[in-house]
Amino acid sequence: TAVNVTSAITEINATSATHACAMADGSDGQIKMIINTSTSGTNNVVITPANFSNTSITLNAPGESVMCVFKNSKWYVIGGNGYAIA
């Protein structure tokens, strides 16, 4: 699954399966919000940006979210709720 970087907010439902999500580069100064709307058991949403200050972002419960900004050719986490960074 690819995260849509042309919209401000992406909702991901991981009820039926774990979602491995790629995220392409954005535009300088762009802000992107990703929300886990639903999950079941151990189904995680794992977001792996093409260029990121770390490796990946995991959302493993409904309502968890992450907000990123694209700056200097990389995505950086600037906020959210309950996310984990690897």
Side-chain angles (χ1 to χ4, degrees):
T1 304
V3 173
N4 180 349
V5 295
T6 61
S7 66
I9 301 170
T10 295
E11 297 177 331
I12 300 173
N13 182 326
T15 298
S16 60
T18 295
H19 280 269
C21 304
M23 189 161 78
D25 290 348
S27 301
D28 200 46
Q30 178 181 352
I31 294 177
K32 178 68 186 177
M33 170 70 79
I34 303 166
I35 303 167
N36 182 349
T37 59
S38 181
T39 191
S40 177
T42 59
N43 295 340
N44 293 330
V45 174
V46 180
I47 305 142
T48 306
N51 289 292
F52 185 44
S53 58
N54 290 307
T55 303
S56 64
I57 305 161
T58 300
L59 308 175
N60 62 9
E64 289 188 348
S65 62
V66 65
M67 183 181 297
C68 300
V69 63
F70 192 78
K71 187 68 180 162
N72 297 328
S73 301
K74 285 187 180 180
W75 285 106
Y76 296 89
V77 173
I78 58 171
N81 176 52
Y83 61 87
I85 297 176

